[in-house]
């Protein structure tokens, strides 16, 4: 029952969050910082009350380790937000971030000296190929959108390359953070809810560096079209309503993933998150009519095929289907 409830939270929360984020980004492409600040503030406040017990509960993992983790987490969040300002479409943004398996494997080999099976390496090749296809097609769209001026076309393409470089750096940094978190859990035990709180609480002072941009978008949001809130008669700028709903759905999504990690195996969690990403991508494309060619679909399919291969879903399904037959043979 808890597993089904967690899966419902993940799909409803995360997919709704993607829709609301795109509604915000479409009107104000550079609003990522105010969105992230609102999300961090909400989750930090909830964690301060219910996890840290108003600061009275001592953390199980030393604060100095959280500081390192938080620095990486904050950097990844800010860079991913800024990448949207560099001609990076939301579908490409989601597909590119699906390449976390590649980054995790590369850093796992380099830092943890891990070795993987042939199927794992094959899955990484598929994911890499899928992202490469989508990236190349998006580059062609950037050029065609500015074909009237050679100078503007070159500028737009270079602008886009900066965005791709930012996404690549954020991908590697995120993978490094995951490895660091894995080593902490091995040393101190799993405290994912505590980590969730400190990952959102400790970075809050860092938003002072972004205060000018946050205040600018605060003014922009105030100038958005007002809508009447049902039952209250109050007129509220619609961007603030989108932001509130985005913060709530983000919290629902994160809570769902947390429940899954405590109730299910890592394979199940990875599969659910992968399917959620795919559903979010389809919703973004269909609902917002984002430009998406046949080659984009091919690249997307290859990315998720590689992801499913990495999680060994096919092996688990075959084992589950052949389980009863094996038991009958043993009984005979």
């Amino acid at each position: 029952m808890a597993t089904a409830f967690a899966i419902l939270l993940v799909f409803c929360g995360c997919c709704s969050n993607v829709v609301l984020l795109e509604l915000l980004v479409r009107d104000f492409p550079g609003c990522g910082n105010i969105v992230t600040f609102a999300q961090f503030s909400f989750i930090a406040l909830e964690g301060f009350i219910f996890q840290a017990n108003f600061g009275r509960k001592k953390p199980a993992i030393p604060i100095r380790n959280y500081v390192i983790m938080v620095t990486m987490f904050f950097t990844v969040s800010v860079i991913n937000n800024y990448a949207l300002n560099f001609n990076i479409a939301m579908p490409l943004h989601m597909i590119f971030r699906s390449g976390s398996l590649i980054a995790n494997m590369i850093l796992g080999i380099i830092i943890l000296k891990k070795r993987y099976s042939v199927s794992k390496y094959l899955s990484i090749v598929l994911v890499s190929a899928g992202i490469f296809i989508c990236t190349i097609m998006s580059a062609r769209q950037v050029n065609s959108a500015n074909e009237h001026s050679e100078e503007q076309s070159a500028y737009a393409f270079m602008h886009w390359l900066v965005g791709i470089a930012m996404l690549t750096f954020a991908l590697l940094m995120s993978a490094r953070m995951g490895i660091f978190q894995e080593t902490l859990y091995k040393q101190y035990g799993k405290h994912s809810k505590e980590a969730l709180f400190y990952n959102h609480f400790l970075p809050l002072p860092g938003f002072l560096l972004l205060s000018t941009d946050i205040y600018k978008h605060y003014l922009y949001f105030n100038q958005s079209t007002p809508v009447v809130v049902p039952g209250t008669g109050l007129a509220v700028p619609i961007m603030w309503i989108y932001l509130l709903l985005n913060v709530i759905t983000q919290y629902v999504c994160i809570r769902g993933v947390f429940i899954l990690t405590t109730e299910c195996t890592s394979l199940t969690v990875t599969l659910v998150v992968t399917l959620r990403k795919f559903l979010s991508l389809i919703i973004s494309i269909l609902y917002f009519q984002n430009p998406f060619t046949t080659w984009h679909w091919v690249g997307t399919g290859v990315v998720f095929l590689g992801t499913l291969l990495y999680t060994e879903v096919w092996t688990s399904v075959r084992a589950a289907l052949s389980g009863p037959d094996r038991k009958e043979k043993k009984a005979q």
Side-chain angles (χ1 to χ4, degrees):
M1 187 66 180
T3 301
F5 178 66
I7 292 175
L8 180 65
L9 290 180
V10 170
F11 276 93
C12 292
C14 298
C15 292
S16 301
N17 182 260
V18 169
V19 171
L20 290 161
L21 178 60
E22 187 145 4
L23 286 171
L24 289 162
V25 170
R26 278 186 166 244
D27 286 344
F28 300 103
C31 70
N33 289 326
I34 191 172
V35 173
T36 304
F37 174 68
Q39 293 173 349
F40 275 45
S41 299
F42 182 83
I43 295 174
L45 178 62
E46 187 274 342
F48 183 72
I49 296 172
F50 298 103
Q51 169 61 32
N53 192 18
F54 296 95
R56 291 193 291 265
K57 183 179 178 181
K58 185 178 179 181
I61 298 176
I63 290 293
R64 65 179 181 276
N65 292 315
Y66 278 124
V67 170
I68 298 173
M69 189 190 306
V70 159
T71 301
M72 292 187 282
F73 184 65
F74 181 77
T75 303
V76 168
S77 297
V78 171
I79 290 179
N80 276 326
N81 288 335
Y82 268 119
L84 293 171
N85 295 339
F86 291 84
N87 294 337
I88 302 295
M90 186 61 75
L92 178 61
H93 193 273
M94 288 189 287
I95 292 169
F96 209 93
R97 293 177 69 178
S98 296
S100 55
L101 291 176
I102 307 172
N104 281 321
M105 175 173 280
I106 293 174
L107 294 188
I109 293 172
I110 296 174
I111 298 174
L112 300 179
K113 309 300 180 183
K114 287 186 176 181
R115 293 295 178 267
Y116 300 93
S117 63
V118 175
S119 64
K120 289 286 194 294
Y121 288 115
L122 177 60
S123 69
I124 293 307
V125 171
L126 289 173
V127 173
S128 302
I131 292 178
F132 178 77
I133 291 171
C134 291
T135 304
I136 291 299
M137 294 310 299
S138 293
R140 291 179 61 184
Q141 287 178 351
V142 169
N143 283 332
S144 62
N146 297 274
E147 58 184 5
H148 300 297
S149 169
E150 184 175 340
E151 184 178 341
Q152 288 180 354
S153 178
Y155 175 78
F157 181 68
M158 293 303 297
H159 208 57
W160 176 83
L161 283 180
V162 173
I164 292 297
M166 293 172 72
L167 287 178
T168 302
F169 177 80
L171 201 65
L172 293 172
M173 179 68 77
S174 179
R176 183 64 185 90
M177 183 183 71
I179 291 175
F180 181 72
Q181 186 169 324
E182 181 180 337
T183 57
L184 285 183
Y185 283 170
K186 285 181 179 179
Q187 183 176 356
Y188 298 101
K190 289 188 176 182
H191 303 279
S192 53
K193 194 172 182 181
E194 178 184 284
L196 177 66
F197 163 63
Y198 283 104
N199 277 347
H200 290 81
F201 176 73
L202 293 179
L204 290 180
F207 284 100
L208 290 173
L209 301 174
L210 309 171
S211 58
T212 302
D213 180 74
I214 292 173
Y215 180 69
K216 179 178 68 175
H217 284 89
Y218 163 80
L219 297 177
Y220 287 161
F221 280 18
N222 284 339
Q223 297 168 5
S224 60
T225 305
V227 295
V228 178
V229 179
T232 65
L234 295 174
V236 179
I238 193 168
M239 297 304 287
W240 287 115
I241 295 177
Y242 288 158
L243 180 60
L244 175 62
L245 294 175
N246 175 271
V247 168
I248 293 173
T249 53
Q250 174 74 359
Y251 176 73
V252 170
C253 174
I254 290 179
R255 286 292 296 153
V257 172
F258 168 71
I259 296 173
L260 269 182
T261 57
T262 58
E263 296 289 336
C264 306
T265 62
S266 59
L267 174 63
T268 303
V269 175
T270 305
L271 177 60
V272 170
V273 172
T274 300
L275 293 177
R276 192 276 302 168
K277 287 180 180 178
F278 188 62
L279 182 59
S280 297
L281 180 64
I282 292 175
I283 292 173
S284 174
I285 294 166
L286 297 181
Y287 184 80
F288 294 101
Q289 299 181 346
N290 280 306
F292 218 70
T293 66
T294 302
W295 281 108
H296 278 99
W297 280 114
V298 171
T300 302
V302 172
V303 167
F304 286 99
L305 176 63
T307 303
L308 292 177
L309 180 62
Y310 183 90
T311 58
E312 299 180 351
V313 171
W314 318 121
T315 304
S316 300
V317 170
R318 281 201 304 268
L321 293 176
S322 62
D325 296 334
R326 290 181 178 177
K327 289 181 179 177
E328 288 179 7
K329 288 180 181 179
K330 287 183 179 180
Q332 292 173 357

